[in-house]
Amino acid sequence: MTNDLITTPFGAQTTAAEILAGIDLSGRRAVVTGGASGIGRETARILAAAGAEVTIGVRDLAAGAVAAEEIAPASGPGAVRAALLDLADQTSVRAFVQAWGGPLHILVLNAGVMASPLQRTKEGWEMQFATNHLGHFALATGLHSALTAAHGARVVAVSSVGHVNGDVLFDDINFEQRPYDPWAAYSQSKTANVLFAVEAGRRWASDLIAVNALNPGRITSTRLGRHIGDISNSPTSFDPTSTDVSWKNIEQGAATSVLLAASPLAEGVTGRYFEDCNEAGPHRPGVRRGVAAHAVSPQSAGRLWQTCLDMLAAAATTV
């Protein structure tokens, strides 16, 4: 990151619709994971309203088809369709990649789980890391040629302020040697999202692919926090009275994603972390804002990239 932070006229209360007011995305193709609900659905809706052809990646194809139909009528000139995509299932990710044809202009890595009880994929990977990061890593790298073909694609990784709570546990990513902690696992996955943007931004700059990460804010009325009630030791900052983070509705929560996905204000910006529609400054202890130093370390970003390649390669040999 540089010392010159990217700023825009927008802020915490800006809605996604306001970000793209007057912008025409006709002819552009977008993929939004987790696009059937929450801020993913709003992101897909606004991109389609601006004219983009949007595919929402969903685990439940029937529910996704219903969501696509509901989004499309109000979306103006764009179109919305649903495609099967289970990020915790590498077979599903590969099938999605193989089925994609032609250029891809916008990829929003939005789907995620938070503080879930211990679950593992068939490979033995811890579920939050597998879903929030590794599945998205496989998807984005698998679609690299399609992104390159767009000649100016954008990739958006939806992270969280929760990344400030912990680094990637390189010596035990899957909690095989230490007791499972749902919040440590969540923080690890969200840090990984930012590190992905740092490394992909570096690797893919020559391909004209911009990659950025973001904190959408604390969003009311989404399913992401459905496991919190099962956790007795959730961070105090999750209390509704907390003023350290920006509390938003869904329309406001999707704004930073849309800004990075399609606004001219983010043209040429890559490898950075945003919140409230502006680039975030360094995290300060005791404040639930900003980007932690461990999440933008070039060394960690490169190490994580190789670790993920190794994990995927090892899994492929056992199929």
Side-chain angles (χ1 to χ4, degrees):
M1 296 178 63
T2 70
N3 293 324
D4 299 321
L5 299 180
I6 303 298
T7 61
T8 77
F10 304 120
Q13 305 309 307
T14 302
T15 66
E18 290 170 336
I19 294 289
L20 293 191
I23 294 175
D24 184 5
L25 298 181
S26 298
R28 299 194 193 180
R29 306 170 73 204
V31 168
V32 181
T33 68
S37 63
I39 64 172
R41 179 183 176 123
E42 180 67 3
T43 299
R45 186 182 75 84
I46 295 302
L47 292 175
E53 174 191 313
V54 182
T55 298
I56 55 174
V58 296
R59 288 185 300 170
D60 184 334
L61 192 55
V66 171
E69 290 181 5
E70 291 174 349
I71 296 170
S75 65
V80 183
R81 73 178 187 94
L84 186 64
L85 177 61
D86 184 346
L87 292 163
D89 181 348
Q90 286 297 310
T91 300
S92 177
V93 175
R94 285 192 295 270
F96 185 97
V97 169
Q98 291 167 2
W100 188 268
L104 175 59
H105 303 83
I106 298 168
L107 174 59
V108 183
L109 309 175
N110 168 84
V113 293
M114 180 170 69
S116 57
L118 178 59
Q119 301 175 66
R120 298 190 184 279
T121 67
K122 63 184 180 181
E123 296 87 358
W125 300 331
E126 187 276 317
M127 188 62 74
Q128 293 191 76
F129 184 82
T131 302
N132 296 351
H133 175 67
L134 196 55
H136 279 139
F137 177 86
L139 179 67
T141 54
L143 291 171
H144 176 261
S145 60
L147 292 165
T148 300
H151 303 292
R154 299 193 192 183
V155 180
V156 181
V158 180
S159 181
S160 164
V161 70
H163 85 272
V164 305
N165 285 43
D167 204 345
V168 174
L169 308 173
F170 283 105
D171 61 336
D172 191 19
I173 283 177
N174 292 307
F175 290 86
E176 297 169 319
Q177 299 155 19
R178 74 190 77 196
Y180 176 69
D181 180 330
W183 291 108
Y186 179 69
S187 297
Q188 168 177 255
S189 71
K190 294 290 100 179
T191 289
N193 293 155
V194 188
L195 290 172
F196 167 75
V198 171
E199 184 67 7
R202 183 187 71 82
R203 287 174 176 257
W204 295 351
S206 61
D207 300 315
L208 303 182
I209 302 171
V211 189
N212 293 286
L214 68 105
N215 164 29
R218 190 67 45 73
I219 316 302
T220 58
S221 303
T222 73
R223 298 184 66 247
L224 181 62
R226 60 190 179 277
H227 295 297
I228 293 179
D230 301 330
I231 307 297
S232 61
N233 63 338
S234 58
T236 56
S237 59
F238 277 80
D239 187 286
T241 61
S242 173
T243 58
D244 290 338
V245 296
S246 299
W247 287 83
K248 304 178 183 182
N249 58 32
I250 288 174
E251 292 78 11
Q252 295 163 340
T256 308
S257 294
V258 168
L259 174 88
L260 294 173
S263 171
L265 296 175
E267 187 71 34
V269 177
T270 192
R272 305 197 184 202
Y273 174 88
F274 281 65
E275 61 188 3
D276 296 341
C277 298
N278 290 273
E279 186 179 2
H283 172 249
R284 292 184 289 113
V287 179
R288 302 284 293 178
R289 299 185 63 78
V291 62
H294 62 249
V296 290
S297 162
Q299 293 75 24
S300 293
R303 182 182 180 185
L304 179 62
W305 191 280
Q306 188 59 53
T307 296
C308 292
L309 290 177
D310 292 344
M311 292 174 70
L312 293 173
T317 62
T318 62
V319 174

